[in-house]
Amino acid sequence: MLPFKSLWKRAKCYFFMAYPPTGLDAKFQRELESIRVELEQVRQENQRLRHVLEQSHLIAGIAFWESSDTRLTWHSSLKAVRELLGCVPANPDEWLNLIHTEDQERVKSVYDHARDTVKQIQIDYRITLANEQVRHVQEIGLPTYNSSGEFDGYHGTIQDNSERKLYEQRHEHLIDDLKNRNRQLDQFTHALAHNLKAPLVTVSTFAGLLRADIESGDIDKTLGDITRIRATTEKMRVLLDELLKRARAGRFGERKVDTALNTLIDDVTVSIRGVLEDLSIDVAPKLPLVYGDRTRLTELVQILIENAARFTYNASEPRVEISATVSEREVQCCVADNGIGIEPIFHDKIFRPFETLDSERCGTGLGLSLARQIVEWHGGQIRVESTGANKGSKFYFTLPKRDVHTP
């Protein structure tokens, strides 16, 4: 604190600045000018600090407030308040109206509890801006009391919490996804152990029979045993090949690119021409671009076409139709066939590893499971529509467009 004499001297100077006497000497004029310069410096510094404080509040997305029953006072710049809330509430009722309708009762109960228990408020809730945008905020405050101990209102801070909430939601999504993948891996491991064990048991059994037939000199039975062993080992080889494909599908090394769906289909039909036999493939002209790992998307198209070829054996004119539609956020593709169809109760089962509806024609039961893995990695979904036997099937899969966030 300045000494009394300095304060008195400054007070006299301020008085004479407001009511300058005539005939002031040169020394007093210099003192007045010095004070004017000092006041201007103080004014500029105060303006600079106010600007810094305003920018700090804007960057942090925070505002300081104080409320009574009828009035709401802001101790931050109105620009920062308006940036945070979309408006400047003048009383508690206007503030309450900003709170999301689903959160209002919870917020009121927290405030009432803090008033009754004299405890700090810390609560996250949502507010709805004038443009219907929903924003997450965090509020920290305290109830206040007057000198008589009577409740006087609250004071505290409110801060934009939307970005942290977004990261928390993504984190929770990743954890849920990891749990789901672990469950799938556990189911896959059990199914794999069963499917690998079966051919080994078969080989072991026929190896024992083979030895007995050789010792007995029965050539026909010996040749039959060898044929069965070869067939079983071939089935196991196919199974291992499918497992390698599935393992590769979990490593998406290529960068995502835009690829014409027509080009993918042409590449597939050329590479598996021998499998298609009499199958007619009708492809809609000018199909849209799809965005993703081209190698894996080629595998996806191949799986669906081969699946259609395998199950149109009952049709007099086997046919597959491929089409696509585009929405604001995704591309939806459809591979439809006129084959044996699938009963609705099996629509989910066919996408599980090693689940087959026809052991003679379904192979290892890994194809559609691999297709789902590829689609889901790209952030899409796959499903089948079929009303039942001999009604054909339509396999739909979606792929997010380039500007939509995917894993």
Side-chain angles (χ1 to χ4, degrees):
M1 180 180 291
L2 292 173
F4 178 77
K5 288 184 178 180
S6 297
L7 289 173
W8 175 246
K9 182 179 179 182
R10 290 198 173 208
K12 288 194 298 182
C13 290
Y14 294 151
F15 177 80
F16 286 122
M17 287 172 61
Y19 306 99
T22 57
L24 294 177
D25 58 25
K27 180 181 179 182
F28 198 72
Q29 288 283 8
R30 287 195 299 271
E31 288 184 359
L32 284 177
E33 184 60 27
S34 175
I35 291 174
R36 288 194 186 98
V37 171
E38 186 178 346
L39 286 173
E40 178 60 22
Q41 290 175 344
V42 170
R43 188 189 65 80
Q44 291 179 1
E45 180 64 13
N46 182 59
Q47 186 176 6
R48 186 187 71 82
L49 290 175
R50 288 174 62 88
H51 177 72
V52 170
L53 186 61
E54 179 181 272
Q55 292 301 310
S56 300
H57 290 176
L58 286 170
I59 293 171
I62 192 171
F64 295 81
W65 54 268
E66 184 177 358
S67 71
S68 64
D69 289 339
T70 59
R71 186 176 180 182
L72 184 60
T73 304
W74 296 96
H75 298 297
S76 298
S77 72
L78 297 185
K79 182 178 180 180
V81 177
R82 193 173 288 108
E83 183 74 19
L84 175 60
L85 304 178
C87 62
V88 182
N91 56 66
D93 288 337
E94 290 184 9
W95 190 349
L96 184 63
N97 289 334
L98 286 177
I99 300 175
H100 195 285
T101 53
E102 295 177 3
D103 295 343
Q104 286 183 5
E105 288 301 321
R106 179 170 59 88
V107 173
K108 286 167 60 178
S109 65
V110 168
Y111 269 87
D112 292 343
H113 179 73
R115 180 191 60 200
D116 297 338
T117 58
V118 199
K119 288 186 177 180
Q120 177 178 289
I121 301 161
Q122 183 166 342
I123 184 172
D124 295 341
Y125 59 87
R126 295 164 294 174
I127 60 173
T128 305
L129 306 187
N131 60 3
E132 301 301 322
Q133 176 190 356
V134 175
R135 180 172 291 170
H136 291 266
V137 296
Q138 182 182 64
E139 197 164 278
I140 299 175
L142 282 171
T144 58
Y145 302 85
N146 60 25
S147 57
S148 302
E150 297 173 337
F151 174 72
D152 199 34
Y154 302 93
H155 69 276
T157 65
I158 182 171
Q159 186 170 20
D160 188 351
N161 202 27
S162 301
E163 189 170 346
R164 184 170 69 86
K165 272 292 181 183
L166 178 61
Y167 283 125
E168 287 178 355
Q169 291 169 356
R170 288 180 179 174
H171 180 67
E172 290 173 359
H173 173 75
L174 290 173
I175 291 176
D176 291 341
D177 183 61
L178 181 59
K179 289 179 179 178
N180 183 49
R181 289 178 183 272
N182 284 337
R183 283 194 298 269
Q184 292 178 0
L185 180 60
D186 187 56
Q187 295 170 357
F188 181 79
T189 302
H190 282 84
L192 176 60
H194 172 77
N195 282 270
L196 288 177
K197 184 178 180 181
L200 290 175
V201 171
T202 302
V203 169
S204 177
T205 300
F206 280 103
L209 293 174
L210 175 62
R211 179 172 181 172
D213 292 336
I214 291 174
E215 290 175 350
S216 66
D218 191 329
I219 300 300
D220 291 337
K221 286 187 176 181
T222 298
L223 293 176
D225 295 335
I226 293 173
T227 299
R228 289 183 177 88
I229 290 173
R230 282 181 173 175
T232 303
T233 54
E234 175 62 18
K235 184 177 180 180
M236 193 168 186
R237 183 193 66 78
V238 172
L239 175 61
L240 291 174
D241 286 345
E242 291 293 323
L243 288 172
L244 288 174
K245 286 183 182 179
R246 185 179 174 92
R248 286 198 302 271
R251 299 192 300 270
F252 292 79
E254 294 188 13
R255 66 184 182 87
K256 292 182 179 181
V257 295
D258 281 320
T259 305
L261 188 54
N262 289 95
T263 302
L264 291 180
I265 296 169
D266 290 341
D267 292 346
V268 169
T269 52
V270 169
S271 64
I272 62 172
R273 184 173 297 158
V275 177
L276 301 180
E277 298 179 351
D278 298 328
L279 183 69
S280 172
I281 301 181
D282 298 330
V283 181
K286 298 182 179 179
L287 291 175
L289 298 176
V290 288
Y291 180 62
D293 183 325
R294 177 166 178 161
T295 300
R296 301 301 169 234
L297 293 180
T298 302
E299 289 181 1
L300 169 64
V301 173
Q302 180 173 334
I303 289 169
L304 295 179
I305 292 178
E306 286 181 337
N307 185 75
R310 189 178 296 119
F311 293 104
T312 52
Y313 64 86
N314 65 323
S316 57
E317 296 181 359
R319 184 179 70 257
V320 171
E321 297 177 353
I322 303 177
S323 58
T325 57
V326 182
S327 67
E328 181 180 355
R329 297 179 60 83
E330 65 185 17
V331 176
Q332 177 176 266
C333 306
C334 177
V335 179
D337 65 62
N338 63 339
I340 63 173
I342 304 169
E343 294 291 345
I345 60 173
F346 300 121
H347 286 185
D348 182 59
K349 179 181 179 182
I350 60 174
F351 294 106
R352 301 174 192 164
F354 305 110
E355 294 283 1
T356 61
L357 302 182
D358 185 338
S359 58
E360 294 298 322
R361 295 183 178 273
C362 288
T364 61
L366 283 174
L368 291 177
S369 170
L370 176 58
R372 182 174 69 174
Q373 183 179 358
I374 294 171
V375 171
E376 289 182 350
W377 184 88
H378 282 83
Q381 295 181 329
I382 188 170
R383 61 186 173 88
V384 64
E385 288 185 1
S386 177
T387 55
N390 300 316
K391 298 295 184 179
S393 302
K394 293 181 179 180
F395 284 85
Y396 293 92
F397 65 90
T398 60
L399 296 171
K401 295 169 72 173
R402 174 189 285 269
D403 57 346
V404 177
H405 171 76
T406 56

